Amino acid sequence: MAQVATAKGRATRARIVEGAAEVLREQGVAFTTLDDIRGRTGTSKSQLFHYFPDGKDELLLAVAQFEADRVLEDQQPHLGRLDSWESWQQWRDVVVERYERQGEHCPLGSLFLQVGRSQPGARAIVTELMRQWQQQLAHGMRALQAKGLVSPDLDADRAAAALLAGIQGGVTMMMSTGDSTHLKAALDTGLDYLRARATEAGDA
């Protein structure tokens, strides 16, 4: 992977990645060529290979990282301040809206199908995305515990893992059916579980 030392170089590389992400979302991974990306980003062939010497697969991995970052960015600022029931509800609504807007096509999933999810680089992107997402959910649950809104006995890491697994399952079913019912059910059931632990905290 090319090392981009200067601020200008990093900005150019980021511009190429963002432009490539736009083209891939519009045309799909299978139908997008490097010439399409060059045309959208206004880069020469030599410039493209300067930043991505291993060619299309390296660029696709960079775009996959960009898309993974967007998954978390699209949930902000709510994901970063899950310290009240209102903020959890707002986060839930943002998640549903995001995936309903995305529809049946998942750019991140398509990218991993192209480069191979089992490749070390692709696996690392998915692993880090899920780690950060679960960590922020667990942090929000601990914020509720700190305010006395949820029982201190709640295992925040385990509950966050279960909620994230439910979200991923709901998203997968929505992509298969075009219906967000299962995603909403997973989120609502997860929040109902937290509220039930709030009742336990109040009864203690």
Side-chain angles (χ1 to χ4, degrees), residues 6-18:
T6 68
K8 182 178 179 181
R10 290 192 294 272
T12 300
R13 186 181 188 278
R15 177 176 57 79
I16 294 171
V17 170
E18 187 170 357

Side-chain angles (χ1 to χ4, degrees), residues 36-47:
D36 294 329
I37 294 170
R38 286 177 50 234
R40 175 66 62 87
T41 59
T43 54
S44 65
K45 187 174 182 179
S46 61
Q47 189 178 28

Side-chain angles (χ1 to χ4, degrees), residues 190-204:
L191 294 188
D192 286 346
Y193 173 74
L194 288 180
R195 290 190 177 98
R197 300 307 299 268
T199 301
E200 294 175 13
D203 292 341

Side-chain angles (χ1 to χ4, degrees), residues 67-175:
E67 293 288 1
D69 292 341
R70 283 185 59 170
V71 171
L72 298 180
E73 289 168 6
D74 288 350
Q75 298 176 54
Q76 298 297 353
H78 310 292
L79 183 60
R81 57 185 188 199
L82 295 173
D83 58 355
S84 68
W85 294 122
E86 181 182 6
S87 61
W88 275 92
Q89 187 64 42
Q90 290 171 340
W91 165 78
R92 176 264 187 208
D93 294 343
V94 165
V95 172
V96 171
E97 180 184 359
R98 181 198 191 276
Y99 284 105
E100 286 183 338
R101 185 172 64 249
Q102 175 180 283
E104 298 173 30
H105 172 67
C106 174
L108 191 57
S110 298
L111 287 161
F112 288 138
L113 284 175
Q114 183 71 19
V115 300
R117 188 183 295 271
S118 63
Q119 284 194 16
R123 185 176 293 275
I125 290 170
V126 175
T127 299
E128 181 60 15
L129 167 61
M130 296 304 165
R131 185 195 69 79
Q132 290 187 36
W133 198 346
Q134 181 178 329
Q135 184 180 60
Q136 293 196 55
L137 291 173
H139 181 75
M141 293 177 188
R142 292 190 179 96
L144 294 179
Q145 289 175 315
K147 289 187 172 183
L149 298 175
V150 168
S151 170
D153 295 333
L154 174 75
D155 185 335
D157 292 319
R158 189 168 183 270
L163 179 56
L164 181 55
I167 293 169
Q168 292 302 300
V171 169
T172 298
M173 294 189 74
M174 193 183 86
M175 288 170 56

